[in-house]
Amino acid sequence: ISGPSIPVMFGAEDMQPLVSQIDGKNMIQPIMQYGIKMISMGFLAPQGNPVPWRGPMATQALRQFFSDTHWGELDYLLIDLPPGTSDIHLSLVQLVPVTGAVIVTTPQKVALADATKGLMFFRQPQINVPVLGVIENMAYFTPEELPDNRYYIFGKDGGKNLATKYETDLLGEIPL
């Protein structure tokens, strides 16, 4: 909803979803890249342009991504949320049955603060979404010429400590 990260990460910045008629209704056809179906505002907004939406507009876009996208058969539906908590997080758990949340963080203090808020949001009694675990992105750097060396440029064990503190699993550490 909030940015270009999905198109960029999947090398799909120049792709645009098509719209087709299915049972008399216009349906968005998700972009397919690397065997993964995806939809994002990054495919719909002109590159480099911000999408200055208030919560209700972002919620409507999220609703349309669920109801007006022809997903076909799916094994899983992964939703990449912005950091922290916002209208979009609350709208998500009200719109669809969310069966689990994975918290992604980097080792920096500010990222861990956002990740903690996200984790605690899903654990609130009125939300009650199981936190499946934590992934630490940019955990370390390993130069190609020194494959046994790890340099912790942004700090060490932030994701591990978060997972331990909140009694959930550390699902992985992704190097820079």
Side-chain angles (χ1 to χ4, degrees), residues 26 36 44 58 63 86-87 92 94 97 100 121 126 162 174-175:
N26 285 336
I36 297 172
L44 304 173
R63 183 176 284 114
S86 68
D87 282 353
L92 173 67
Q94 292 171 342
F121 169 82
Q126 66 271 33
L162 180 69
I174 302 171

Side-chain angles (χ1 to χ4, degrees), residues 140-158:
Y140 55 87
F141 170 72
T142 298
E144 190 174 332
E145 64 277 2
L146 298 169
D148 295 329
N149 290 22
R150 289 185 176 186
Y151 298 95
Y152 298 92
I153 298 168
F154 301 113
K156 186 176 180 189
D157 293 333

Side-chain angles (χ1 to χ4, degrees), residues 154-176:
F154 301 113
K156 186 176 180 189
D157 293 333
K160 178 181 175 184
N161 294 337
L162 180 69
T164 300
K165 180 176 180 178
Y166 291 99
E167 299 176 347
T168 191
D169 293 325
L170 177 66
L171 301 174
E173 296 173 312
I174 302 171
L176 187 62

Side-chain angles (χ1 to χ4, degrees), residues 29-61:
Q29 298 300 314
I31 299 292
M32 176 74 92
Q33 185 80 317
Y34 308 115
I36 297 172
K37 297 175 186 177
M38 63 190 109
I39 194 68
S40 166
M41 280 308 299
F43 294 122
L44 304 173
Q47 286 186 21
N49 287 6
V51 181
W53 283 354
R54 294 190 184 273
M57 292 175 71
T59 297
Q60 182 58 32

Side-chain angles (χ1 to χ4, degrees), residues 69-166:
T69 301
H70 186 252
W71 291 106
E73 190 170 326
L74 297 173
D75 294 322
Y76 298 96
L77 180 61
L78 303 176
I79 302 157
D80 181 23
L81 295 171
T85 59
S86 68
D87 282 353
I88 207 68
H89 298 77
L90 190 54
S91 297
L92 173 67
V93 297
Q94 292 171 342
L95 287 171
V96 295
V98 179
T99 57
V102 173
I103 306 298
V104 180
T105 187
T106 60
Q108 297 102 323
K109 190 175 182 180
V110 69
L112 290 164
D114 277 342
T116 299
K117 287 181 181 181
L119 188 149
M120 295 308 294
F121 169 82
F122 288 112
R123 286 194 170 168
Q124 290 181 84
Q126 66 271 33
I127 305 298
N128 196 28
V129 171
V131 174
L132 305 175
V134 173
I135 295 174
E136 184 178 296
N137 196 11
M138 301 192 302
Y140 55 87
F141 170 72
T142 298
E144 190 174 332
E145 64 277 2
L146 298 169
D148 295 329
N149 290 22
R150 289 185 176 186
Y151 298 95
Y152 298 92
I153 298 168
F154 301 113
K156 186 176 180 189
D157 293 333
K160 178 181 175 184
N161 294 337
L162 180 69
T164 300
K165 180 176 180 178
Y166 291 99

